[in-house]
Amino acid sequence: MSARGVTAGMVALALVVGGVVVVDRVAAGEAHDAVVQQVRSNVPDLVGDPRVEVLGFPFLNQLVAGRLTDVRVHLDGARLDGLTVSAVDLEAHGVGTSSPYTVQRALVHATLSFATVRSLIAERTGLDLDLRAAGDTLVATAAVLGFPVSATLRPRPTVGAVRLELVAVTLAGVAVPVDAMPADLRTALSDLAVPVDGLPAGVELTGTAVVAGGVRVTLTAADVALSDLMGSSRG
């Protein structure tokens, strides 16, 4: 084969490969837009524009398989499970390409602000607490019978709630053993929880952490429709 023939063959191959890549990227773009639309349609009180990444190359292989390998979504704010949250990050793996767009497994991270946690505690217990972060714990302060009470709390995940475990208490600046506290106050401070109930089947609360803006929660999901995972079950 002449040099001219070899060159022509290479050009033709490059054009074919380039055309496949273009088609692949167009298909990936359409999948991206579909995920964005699903988020906008199913997430209440969405704040800002959802940022979506559909990862993996070649993408056409994923379409043939009927599942997107790795989808990442970031939301500035929204309502999930009826709770106002911020800085929502979804890592979804094995997302179906047709309705109901079932996700094989996923992690959702979201932050409950101190204001939200305070409001939920007040609804549950009637206690009006000021909250702040202190390392990996929360410090809750309130006035009880005219005396300032400060309680150190550690959030931990339980079924249907973020439980706030009582670690230490000071009364008027003096450390008080938990067992020596007045019974009513000890009961109230030992029963603090932020409800995260009504989660869809296949979704569990699996992690909590104290961050600068509030309490960061982690939900783990398996075999859940994308609309259920990103939607609100409580309105």
Side-chain angles (χ1 to χ4, degrees):
M1 179 180 294
S2 67
R4 179 177 298 179
V6 171
T7 301
M10 292 178 64
V11 169
L13 178 60
L15 289 173
V16 170
V17 172
V20 171
V21 171
V22 169
V23 171
D24 189 271
R25 292 301 85 197
V26 169
E30 291 178 349
H32 168 278
D33 293 345
V35 174
V36 170
Q37 184 56 46
Q38 280 291 306
V39 172
R40 286 177 172 161
S41 298
N42 291 287
V43 178
D45 300 334
L46 186 63
V47 177
D49 293 325
R51 297 197 286 278
V52 173
E53 291 182 280
V54 179
L55 305 178
F57 181 85
F59 179 76
L60 290 176
N61 290 356
Q62 300 180 54
L63 287 185
V64 171
R67 289 205 173 270
L68 307 183
T69 303
D70 190 351
V71 176
R72 307 292 176 90
V73 179
H74 175 83
L75 310 176
D76 292 333
R79 284 180 68 82
L80 300 181
D81 186 37
L83 298 175
T84 299
V85 293
S86 62
V88 182
D89 290 294
L90 166 67
E91 303 170 16
H93 305 279
V95 182
T97 56
S98 59
S99 181
Y101 307 103
T102 302
V103 178
Q104 289 183 328
R105 54 189 177 87
L107 288 177
V108 179
H109 308 279
T111 299
L112 298 167
S113 70
F114 289 133
T116 295
V117 174
R118 176 179 179 177
S119 175
L120 291 169
I121 290 174
E123 289 177 9
R124 181 182 176 92
T125 66
L127 292 174
D128 185 14
L129 304 174
D130 287 326
L131 297 171
R132 62 179 176 84
D136 63 348
T137 63
L138 298 174
V139 175
T141 57
V144 178
L145 300 177
F147 294 97
V149 175
S150 177
T152 301
L153 309 166
R154 179 173 289 111
R156 59 184 180 86
T158 59
V159 177
V162 176
R163 183 71 56 184
L164 300 178
E165 184 180 48
L166 183 59
V167 177
V169 177
T170 62
L171 179 59
V174 178
V176 178
V178 173
D179 292 343
M181 295 169 55
D184 290 348
L185 182 58
R186 182 175 67 248
T187 299
L189 291 177
S190 299
D191 193 34
L192 297 178
V194 178
V196 186
D197 49 12
L199 294 174
V203 181
E204 297 180 357
L205 174 65
T206 56
T208 56
V210 177
V211 296
V215 177
R216 189 80 168 160
V217 299
T218 298
L219 304 176
T220 302
D223 297 322
V224 178
L226 183 63
S227 58
D228 288 339
L229 183 60
M230 298 300 296
S232 169
S233 58
R234 298 195 314 185

